């Protein structure tokens, strides 16, 4: 029995996820083979077109494996996208500085939430719920300011 290796719970979950991915891809290849689903480039396109979702999914997987919870992720992604749109359209800021500003904003956002959970001992669900509402509100404000004078430009 010494040679037998025991599978940890985290490794098991990762193995099940990878196995399910390939099973679903195999089913897709069988069902949609006529449309070219089984081509190598189509397989790579799954990763290329979903790169942002994959990064978010990996981060959320780490959070969940460690026993935490974060429900503010989607709202912050929306807020970051609106910040980028506002900075590049109305603010006259280039793409690279705008992305850097959003990244710094995300780091600060995460540090504040992490501080509240780790050092202030506030429940993660409550902290991330507040973060979700904050990010949703900022998204709405950004959208309102982005579209505020949209009708004025057609009146001139």
């Amino acid at each position: 029995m010494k040679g037998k290796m025991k599978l940890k719970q985290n490794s098991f979950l990762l193995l099940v996820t990878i196995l399910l991915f390939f099973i679903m891809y195999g089913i897709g290849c069988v069902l949609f083979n006529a449309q070219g689903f089984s081509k190598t480039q189509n397989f790579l396109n799954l990763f290329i077109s979903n790169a942002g979702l994959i990064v978010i999914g990996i981060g959320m997987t780490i959070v969940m494996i460690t026993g935490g919870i974060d429900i503010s992720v989607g709202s912050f992604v929306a807020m970051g996208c609106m910040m980028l749109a506002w900075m590049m359209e109305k603010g006259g800021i280039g793409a690279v500085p705008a992305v850097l500003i959003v990244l710094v904003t995300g780091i600060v956002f995460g540090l504040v939430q992490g501080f509240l959970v780790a050092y202030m001992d506030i429940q993660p669900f409550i902290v991330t719920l507040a973060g979700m509402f904050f990010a949703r509100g900022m998204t709405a404000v950004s959208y309102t300011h982005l579209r505020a004078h949209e009708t004025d430009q057609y009146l001139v």
Side-chain angles (χ1 to χ4, degrees):
M1 287 294 223
K2 282 185 179 181
K4 203 172 192 182
M5 197 168 114
K6 198 169 187 179
L7 195 61
K8 294 181 183 176
Q9 185 178 2
N10 296 347
S11 301
F12 176 72
L13 292 175
L14 179 63
L15 183 66
V16 167
T17 303
I18 292 170
L19 186 66
L20 281 174
F21 174 78
F22 282 110
I23 288 172
M24 290 189 308
Y25 183 74
I27 291 170
C29 287
V30 170
L31 293 176
F32 302 108
N33 194 23
Q35 289 88 0
F37 192 78
S38 59
K39 292 181 181 175
T40 306
Q41 186 59 47
N42 193 26
F43 179 76
L44 296 175
N45 285 345
L46 291 173
F47 297 104
I48 293 168
S49 62
N50 294 312
L53 293 175
I54 291 170
V55 170
I56 293 168
I58 290 171
M60 287 303 298
T61 302
I62 292 169
V63 168
M64 293 172 121
I65 285 175
T66 59
I69 187 169
D70 189 353
I71 58 175
S72 65
V73 174
S75 298
F76 183 77
V77 168
M79 184 178 90
C81 291
M82 284 306 295
M83 286 174 61
L84 282 171
W86 187 88
M87 284 188 276
M88 289 191 286
E89 188 172 320
K90 299 290 184 186
I93 299 173
V96 173
V99 168
L100 291 175
I101 291 169
V102 170
L103 287 174
V104 169
T105 305
I107 291 169
V108 171
F109 194 77
L111 285 173
V112 168
Q113 287 191 353
F115 174 79
L116 292 172
V117 170
Y119 293 107
M120 302 296 287
D121 287 330
I122 303 173
Q123 290 294 320
F125 185 82
I126 302 300
V127 172
T128 59
L129 182 68
M132 180 184 74
F133 286 136
F134 173 77
R136 278 180 164 185
M138 295 285 57
T139 302
V141 167
S142 298
Y143 180 76
T144 304
H145 284 286
L146 188 63
R147 300 294 173 213
H149 303 290
E150 190 174 85
T151 56
D152 293 345
Q153 69 185 10
Y154 298 113
L155 296 175
V156 175

